[in-house]
Amino acid sequence: MHERFEKFIPHHSHTKGQLSYVEGGLAYLQINDRHYVIPARHYFWVPQGLTHILKIGHSGTVLRSLFFYTHDDDKHPFYSEVGIYPINELLMEMIKYSETWDGHILPGESRYLFLSVIKNILPEISAKRLPIALPFTENERMQPILEWIQNNISATHTLRSLGSQFGLSERTLSRLFQSTLNTSFLQYLKLLRMVKAIELMLQTDLSMSEIGYSVGYGSLPAFSNTFYQLTNFRPSDFKKNF
């Protein structure tokens, strides 16, 4: 399937494994209690039977998806795990080669053999996983807190300031983050800021300093160091490559 438009697909699952390449724009994936942002020039794998929500975030986004047989998934752990990876030239050209194909490809067709090769090489070429997964919760007490942080991402946030905003003690708020998101307040804030930074990189012409300031960092080095810590890319390199 090769798609180019905004799209929202609510909770669903497949009897096949899903490989999707985001050629341009942004896509968003929600699985259980995690939100994933998939930037351009990245691909993701969703195992068979795993319920997920998929959102194509912009009309300029191109999403190319291949759905694979699962009878040999037990030959490598890759096929049983959700993952997001930067694409290399080999896989990108192979996926683009199939862009005129649509619908079912059956055993015995030469195209079937070609696509089988793609599946077989995935574990070997998918060593560098993008480690940005934003925790998610439907806890009614936490949702307004998380929404407020997102809407005020450029502000300076601490447990004390956030607690004052919502009438909670620092200790209570810290426990809420840990119990509902399974992460600390500071780690959640860091991940959220990196997700927002990636969105701004791919959807605006803001400079790196402006992006860093927009997501709450007072200096470019502080923003750059945090971004590198989570992605192994400097922000400028990430924008240039993807």
Side-chain angles (χ1 to χ4, degrees), residues 1-178:
M1 297 175 62
H2 303 273
E3 306 168 295
R4 183 195 291 269
F5 47 76
E6 293 183 53
K7 190 173 188 179
F8 177 79
I9 308 174
H11 283 98
H12 67 287
S13 62
H14 306 286
T15 58
K16 298 182 179 183
Q18 177 179 352
L19 170 68
S20 289
Y21 167 46
V22 181
E23 187 172 282
L26 285 168
Y28 301 88
L29 188 66
Q30 181 185 326
I31 298 178
N32 297 326
D33 59 351
R34 289 289 185 271
H35 276 158
Y36 300 87
V37 57
I38 303 99
R41 294 178 63 88
H42 282 70
Y43 60 96
F44 62 91
W45 176 264
V46 179
Q48 169 200 25
L50 191 61
T51 300
H52 58 284
I53 295 172
L54 178 61
K55 178 183 177 184
I56 301 174
H58 188 271
S59 58
T61 300
V62 179
L63 187 71
R64 307 192 185 281
S65 299
L66 308 175
F67 299 88
F68 289 98
Y69 50 83
T70 60
H71 60 78
D72 62 348
D73 280 5
D74 58 355
K75 69 182 181 182
H76 197 281
F78 171 88
Y79 302 112
S80 62
E81 301 172 350
V82 176
I84 302 165
Y85 310 90
I87 201 161
N88 63 20
E89 292 296 327
L90 172 62
L91 182 58
M92 181 171 63
E93 291 303 323
M94 294 181 78
I95 292 177
K96 282 188 174 182
Y97 184 78
S98 71
E99 67 182 351
T100 59
W101 307 349
D102 197 16
H104 294 290
I105 311 287
L106 301 176
E109 297 183 46
S110 59
R111 297 183 300 172
Y112 186 93
L113 179 59
F114 180 87
L115 296 176
S116 298
V117 172
I118 291 180
K119 184 183 181 184
N120 289 335
I121 65 173
L122 287 175
E124 182 180 346
I125 66 174
S126 305
K128 194 172 184 180
R129 184 181 300 193
L130 186 67
I132 297 183
L134 190 65
F136 170 76
T137 179
E138 294 183 349
N139 182 281
E140 294 182 357
R141 198 177 184 188
M142 281 296 288
Q143 284 186 338
I145 297 173
L146 301 183
E147 183 177 351
W148 193 87
I149 296 174
Q150 291 187 40
N151 292 337
N152 298 275
I153 192 64
S154 64
T156 299
H157 297 290
T158 65
L159 281 174
R160 176 176 293 183
S161 65
L162 201 58
S164 298
Q165 179 73 25
F166 289 92
L168 299 170
S169 70
E170 294 179 47
R171 187 171 185 178
T172 297
L173 192 56
S174 178
R175 286 178 172 175
L176 265 177
F177 270 89
Q178 200 64 54

